[in-house]
Amino acid sequence: MLKAYRTEIRPSDEQAVMIHKTIGTCRYVYNLYLQKNKEAYKADSSFLSGYDFSKWLNNEHARREEFAWIKEVPSKAVKQAIMNAETAYKKFFKKLASFPCFKRKSDYGSFYLIGTIHVKRHLIQLPKLGKVRLKEKGYIPSAGVRSATVSREGDRYFVSVLVEEQEACKKKSGPSEGIGIDMGIKMFLYTSDGEHVANVSRSNQLAKLTKSLKHQQRKLARRVKGSANFQKQKVIVQRLHRRIRNIKTDLKRKTVLKIVKKNPQFITIEHLHVKGMMKNRTLSNAFQQIGIGYFTDWLKVKCAECEIELRRVDRFYPSSQICSCCGERKKMLLHVRTYDCEHCGMSLDRDWNASINLKNAKDYTVLV
Ligand SMILES: [Zn+2]
């Protein structure tokens, strides 16, 4: 099974220059292939294959002194850029798509590498670039790396590697019972075994970052578009956006992992009618902050990987109105945070009670 790992790298100045150069060359070659095909198409409706283009590029074009720089970057990256261009152009040639876009110069770009790639805890060794420091140590497995894609996002650099892995999750002990997950606004989620995770937007760190983002965005709006100061400010805003996104994503992934690691027999989630909720303005803001869609998607991925059955109850299942102890049912208004059962005397946090009901639900759809 192939698995992708993406993480930030810290290239040296020299390596950063090489990364920029490679991205630039790949863009040039990609565009040149499209240009050549455009000319061939106009002349006699013929098709120039990636293979023929590659031969011409290496044996004629790049031999000329003014284009010698093409040979200075990793050849695999150039080859892949040609292949990408060919794939895009073929779609047009077969009339499946419109003419592909020429790539424009920007702060973003990437290239693909294959060949000798070694990973150690703190560094990754890549063709032509050499040893590049990894920001997150020990994240990428050291064995089985097949290929790597290096990308640039403004002033930051990332590597995404494909790793051949043996079975991802070994069943250690026998599976425990199922888990129900209630997702809400106050608490991001509550599980039937009593775990709860607070909503990230309530964390101090994130509140500070969001405030700072607003401030920096206002500053950006005052800058003259395209000026050097504008560019500098843009990088600051981009960086803040990314930090906020990363914190949120990280929390969701960690939460999913924590639940999956318990190796439950099944996991039951609610059917959240997200689109309907978005119409309700106070609720919608809270839900966008939480990003329940992303959480559910990631949960699906991990459940599939670990062979855990993922269930989703019916949209109208009244998980918050039932007493998880005796089964009595009563109306629960949104602001009432504790479920107090008049019938059996149970008193439990509203969301916790709901998550137990979800676990016990009998009507559900199996998602994974
Ligand atoms: Zn009761």
Side-chain angles (χ1 to χ4, degrees):
M1 192 178 73
L2 277 177
K3 210 175 155 196
Y5 289 83
R6 186 173 188 268
T7 190
E8 192 170 354
I9 48 174
R10 288 269 168 82
S12 65
D13 290 349
E14 236 169 86
Q15 288 167 333
V17 168
M18 181 49 102
I19 290 172
H20 292 189
K21 214 166 144 181
T22 311
I23 290 173
T25 305
C26 287
R27 179 181 61 235
Y28 170 81
V29 168
Y30 183 97
N31 288 342
L32 187 61
Y33 174 83
L34 292 184
Q35 185 58 41
K36 286 278 161 196
N37 257 305
K38 204 173 178 179
E39 284 163 14
Y41 191 77
K42 265 190 191 151
D44 53 4
S45 303
S46 66
F47 169 72
L48 174 65
S49 74
Y51 178 75
D52 287 336
F53 173 79
S54 184
K55 263 201 322 205
W56 167 82
L57 185 79
N58 289 318
N59 298 337
E60 289 178 46
H61 194 64
R63 287 248 169 116
R64 287 158 62 185
E65 211 180 309
E66 66 265 41
F67 296 114
W69 43 267
I70 294 175
K71 299 231 171 187
E72 287 166 17
V73 305
S75 60
K76 289 287 190 322
V78 173
K79 206 173 153 189
Q80 185 67 31
I82 298 171
M83 274 163 68
N84 292 345
E86 191 189 58
T87 310
Y89 184 74
K90 264 188 183 162
K91 277 192 198 142
F92 160 75
F93 200 73
K94 289 179 186 161
K95 301 198 163 49
L96 295 170
S98 51
F99 193 81
C101 293
F102 286 97
K103 284 196 194 298
R104 273 189 240 156
K105 201 173 170 189
S106 85
D107 296 343
Y108 292 77
S110 65
F111 60 88
Y112 173 87
L113 291 170
I114 192 161
T116 322
I117 299 168
H118 292 299
V119 177
K120 280 191 181 147
R121 215 178 80 81
H122 60 293
L123 59 84
I124 181 165
Q125 184 160 17
L126 296 164
K128 274 251 159 92
L129 282 166
K131 291 169 182 165
V132 188
R133 277 182 299 157
L134 294 170
K135 196 179 163 194
E136 195 180 343
K137 296 179 182 70
Y139 172 64
I140 304 176
S142 52
V145 176
R146 292 280 172 273
S147 66
T149 301
V150 176
S151 56
R152 173 190 175 199
E153 288 184 16
D155 64 340
R156 292 174 73 182
Y157 305 88
F158 299 86
V159 67
S160 167
V161 295
L162 279 178
V163 180
E164 179 83 49
E165 274 188 2
Q166 305 304 319
E167 215 180 307
C169 312
K170 292 254 155 56
K171 301 254 164 176
K172 285 160 232 123
S173 51
S176 60
E177 57 174 332
I179 289 181
I181 304 177
D182 179 78
M183 285 175 274
I185 292 162
K186 206 152 202 172
M187 275 295 160
F188 173 47
L189 60 83
Y190 227 113
T191 66
S192 55
D193 53 353
E195 254 261 35
H196 45 89
V197 177
N199 186 358
V200 268
S201 63
R202 287 172 182 256
S203 85
N204 270 338
Q205 186 194 18
L206 214 63
K208 261 186 211 157
L209 282 173
T210 311
K211 203 175 155 194
S212 150
L213 175 67
K214 275 190 188 143
H215 173 73
Q216 299 294 357
Q217 272 171 332
R218 274 198 299 272
K219 234 169 140 181
L220 179 68
R222 286 197 298 267
R223 298 269 188 263
V224 180
K225 222 173 173 182
S227 69
N229 279 330
F230 176 85
Q231 289 302 337
K232 254 189 235 163
Q233 188 60 25
K234 206 171 98 184
V235 170
I236 294 173
V237 171
Q238 281 171 347
R239 206 180 289 161
L240 276 167
H241 264 304
R242 201 160 32 221
R243 269 193 77 190
I244 292 173
R245 199 175 62 214
N246 286 350
I247 292 172
K248 289 184 184 173
T249 312
D250 194 51
L251 180 93
K252 280 168 227 151
R253 289 193 179 197
K254 272 185 185 148
T255 310
V256 167
L257 205 67
K258 206 169 163 189
I259 297 169
V260 168
K261 265 191 178 159
K262 289 179 183 166
N263 198 16
Q265 237 166 17
F266 60 85
I267 294 173
T268 311
I269 55 171
E270 289 168 277
H271 188 140
L272 283 166
H273 188 44
V274 175
K275 274 198 187 127
M277 285 199 172
M278 288 299 177
K279 281 185 195 141
N280 179 332
R281 283 180 73 195
T282 41
L283 276 180
S284 86
N285 212 347
F287 267 87
Q288 274 164 353
Q289 290 273 339
I290 303 168
I292 282 183
Y294 182 87
F295 175 81
T296 331
D297 288 346
W298 194 246
L299 190 64
K300 270 186 209 163
V301 170
K302 286 290 148 189
C303 281
E305 238 172 59
C306 301
E307 294 173 3
I308 295 168
E309 186 175 296
L310 183 63
R311 302 171 175 177
R312 188 179 62 194
V313 296
D314 189 87
R315 193 160 91 205
F316 301 107
Y317 179 70
S319 60
S320 57
Q321 297 176 10
I322 303 172
C323 167
S324 61
C325 184
C326 70
E328 268 288 299
R329 197 175 151 178
K330 66 168 186 179
K331 272 255 172 289
M332 283 286 285
L333 294 170
L334 251 172
H335 69 271
V336 183
R337 301 309 310 165
T338 319
Y339 192 104
D340 289 305
C341 180
E342 290 91 17
H343 189 74
C344 71
M346 184 203 73
S347 175
L348 197 64
D349 180 277
R350 170 204 182 91
D351 297 335
W352 193 354
N353 178 59
S355 69
I356 297 172
N357 286 328
L358 285 168
K359 182 185 87 175
N360 297 333
K362 294 281 173 279
D363 292 316
Y364 51 81
T365 320
V366 175
L367 294 179
V368 175

